[in-house]
Amino acid sequence: MRIAILSDIHANREAFDAALEAAQKRDPDEVVLLGDLVGYGPDPVYVIEKAVDLVARGALCIMGNHDEAVARNLGNMTENARFAAQWTRERLASTHLDFLARLPLSLQSENRLYVHASADRPAKWSYIRDVDAAERCLASTDARFIFCGHTHVPAIYYALPGRRPMHFQPLDNVAAPLSALGRHLVIAGAVGQPRDGNPAACFVLVDTQRHEVTMVRVPYDHEETARKIQAAGLPGWLGMRLKIGR
């Protein structure tokens, strides 16, 4: 079984289309949208409607903190994030807002748990940036594989029974093995706003038969997305950061 996992799309039409095209060329059996469909980017309606269509065709989709901010409560966000969330909310129809509001915080499929931030209190939107946070996440579920987004930086944590997780930095477009002996926490990077110094969109491809996971990188026209961000009156930094992957 091949599973394509796309996280943190952030209303970036160009990145979403490029990542989906690359994923579909790999003929996935399942597509998972790991939250944050909206926020930051200039095309929330397009991204939501594409997500609705994917879900209608069997894809899984969960809620991210920016989806919650737009559909429910702005909460505690940075100035740019709050501005973008309010801008997004004003451009969505009630059907779009209802779709976001109804998304679950997590979904489990067989031995795989999908959650945007962490299995440790998903609604708190905590970040997994170190071994301590990874350990709390793993301790909060018995799933063998946990897939998260939220940090915008791809990473893998591997834990043997009775031991603390180990951090592994995967190489772009190189399959990493999934050991049968332990558990894995995979951070999926970001489709629409990477922050690891590489502006290319990032999504995860899991092959359960080969027991491996790949961080697939896909170049896209980030200059066009940045141009649309500026034209929409969104904060300029949101476009600039797409060019440098930060």
Side-chain angles (χ1 to χ4, degrees):
M1 184 177 186
R2 286 184 298 274
I3 308 164
I5 303 171
L6 290 74
S7 188
D8 295 275
I9 297 156
H10 285 298
N12 186 332
R13 175 176 183 162
E14 289 72 31
F16 194 21
D17 282 348
L20 272 179
E21 181 180 359
Q24 288 164 353
K25 286 180 180 177
R26 290 159 171 82
D27 193 25
D29 301 288
E30 185 170 84
V31 174
V32 181
L33 305 178
L34 211 53
D36 277 0
L37 298 175
V38 298
Y40 298 138
D43 286 303
V45 171
Y46 178 86
V47 168
I48 292 172
E49 291 183 351
K50 178 151 281 195
V52 169
D53 179 63
L54 288 168
V55 169
R57 291 189 280 136
L60 304 180
C61 187
I62 61 173
M63 179 183 288
N65 57 307
H66 287 259
D67 305 322
E68 181 189 55
V70 168
R72 295 178 180 172
N73 190 332
L74 289 174
N76 184 24
M77 309 188 85
T78 66
E79 182 179 351
N80 282 344
R82 288 179 66 86
F83 185 97
Q86 185 61 44
W87 180 94
T88 299
R89 183 184 290 173
E90 292 168 358
R91 282 153 180 80
L92 298 183
S94 59
T95 52
H96 302 132
L97 293 169
D98 186 59
F99 175 78
L100 295 178
R102 290 175 179 270
L103 292 174
L105 287 173
S106 65
L107 286 171
Q108 186 151 351
S109 178
E110 298 179 354
N111 59 357
R112 302 178 299 276
L113 177 69
Y114 303 110
V115 59
H116 181 70
S118 175
D120 174 32
R121 299 174 297 171
K124 294 293 184 182
W125 309 116
S126 55
Y127 289 89
I128 301 174
R129 291 178 171 142
D130 54 37
V131 170
D132 289 339
E135 188 170 38
R136 289 192 295 272
C137 177
L138 286 160
S140 300
T141 175
D142 59 1
R144 186 171 165 222
F145 301 100
I146 305 103
F147 296 93
C148 303
H150 198 41
T151 68
H152 296 218
V153 177
I156 298 174
Y157 294 88
Y158 170 60
L160 288 167
R163 297 188 183 182
R164 297 197 74 200
M166 297 175 286
H167 174 260
F168 172 67
Q169 191 60 51
L171 298 175
D172 294 341
N173 301 309
V174 177
L178 297 172
S179 171
L181 300 177
R183 301 170 67 208
H184 297 79
L185 165 58
V186 179
I187 311 296
V191 170
Q193 196 192 81
R195 296 180 188 170
D196 62 340
N198 183 347
C202 181
F203 73 91
V204 167
L205 186 70
V206 181
D207 192 317
T208 63
Q209 184 173 0
R210 292 174 178 255
H211 304 288
E212 58 188 28
V213 59
T214 306
M215 300 292 177
V216 182
R217 302 308 290 250
V218 186
Y220 73 97
D221 190 355
H222 52 74
E223 295 282 355
E224 172 62 11
T225 310
R227 184 196 65 76
K228 291 198 290 186
I229 285 173
Q230 183 176 16
L234 289 162
W237 168 239
L238 299 180
M240 290 174 59
R241 72 186 311 171
L242 297 180
K243 303 176 184 181
I244 58 175
R246 295 290 183 193

